[in-house]
Amino acid sequence: MDITQLILDDHHEQRRLFAILEEIDRRDTGVLSAIWSRLAAFLELHAQAEEEIFYPALLQVGIAARRAGAVQDETLDAIHDHNEIRDAVADVARHQVGTEGWYAAVAAANTANSDHMAEEEREGLTDFRRLAGLPRRHQLAVAFAAYEARNYAGVQSVDKDPAGYVRAAEKKTRADGSLSVGTLKRT
């Protein structure tokens, strides 16, 4: 098991759910609402899981590999993107399901999410595979899967200050790149 693969699997599911929305009859607002509710909750859960598990670990391995600047930039951008996705998801709720405004808001959320996933797949996940060994990626995959399982019913959506997020994550990281907490502690 590899955290980068779990994230890619989540990305595939997000793309699949957005595609399903495009295939449903616009008059079938009950189904549209149900699929959107699932997707909106999943987008937030995925973002929170990345923010709790993946991005602190990316910063950790980047610091240890003396590539702090690159991983800081990737993390800042990712947190900013997560905020944009949250805002786009919130905008969907302002529209009646099945209306032109609702579809436009869903399309905006899809664009924000697609842009983020493409960038993350090109940069953050690729860098992480280069910097972290498979045992570490496995350990993080277990934590990521557990986080999503524990929070399957959803998590509260909260925008984060990207710079504050990075500062807080870096404060938890020792000079040797260890987060020095729980199962993420380097021995």
Side-chain angles (χ1 to χ4, degrees), residues 16-50:
R16 188 181 76 82
L17 290 169
F18 273 113
I20 287 172
L21 286 172
E22 294 174 7
E23 297 294 324
I24 298 169
D25 186 306
R26 289 177 175 242
R27 295 167 294 179
D28 201 345
T29 57
V31 172
L32 287 169
S33 181
I35 300 295
W36 173 253
S37 293
R38 165 70 179 115
L39 177 54
F42 185 50
L43 289 169
E44 183 56 36
L45 176 57
H46 176 79
Q48 291 275 3
E50 285 184 344

Side-chain angles (χ1 to χ4, degrees), residues 91-162:
D91 188 46
V92 173
R94 294 181 189 62
H95 302 277
Q96 184 178 346
V97 176
T99 63
E100 290 302 319
W102 185 83
Y103 274 100
V106 168
N110 190 3
T111 298
N113 191 58
S114 294
D115 290 348
H116 167 68
M117 290 187 302
E119 190 171 34
E120 185 172 71
E121 290 167 7
R122 270 190 328 268
E123 297 173 2
L125 296 178
T126 300
D127 285 346
F128 198 72
R129 282 189 298 271
R130 287 181 187 140
L131 297 172
L134 188 54
R136 180 74 173 124
R137 296 192 321 258
H138 173 83
Q139 176 190 29
L140 291 166
V142 171
F144 192 87
Y147 184 91
E148 286 189 331
R150 275 191 227 99
N151 294 287
Y152 72 91
V155 293
Q156 184 176 359
S157 178
V158 178
D159 278 357
K160 294 173 180 64
D161 169 50

Side-chain angles (χ1 to χ4, degrees), residues 57 83 89 113 143 177:
N83 290 340
V89 167
N113 191 58

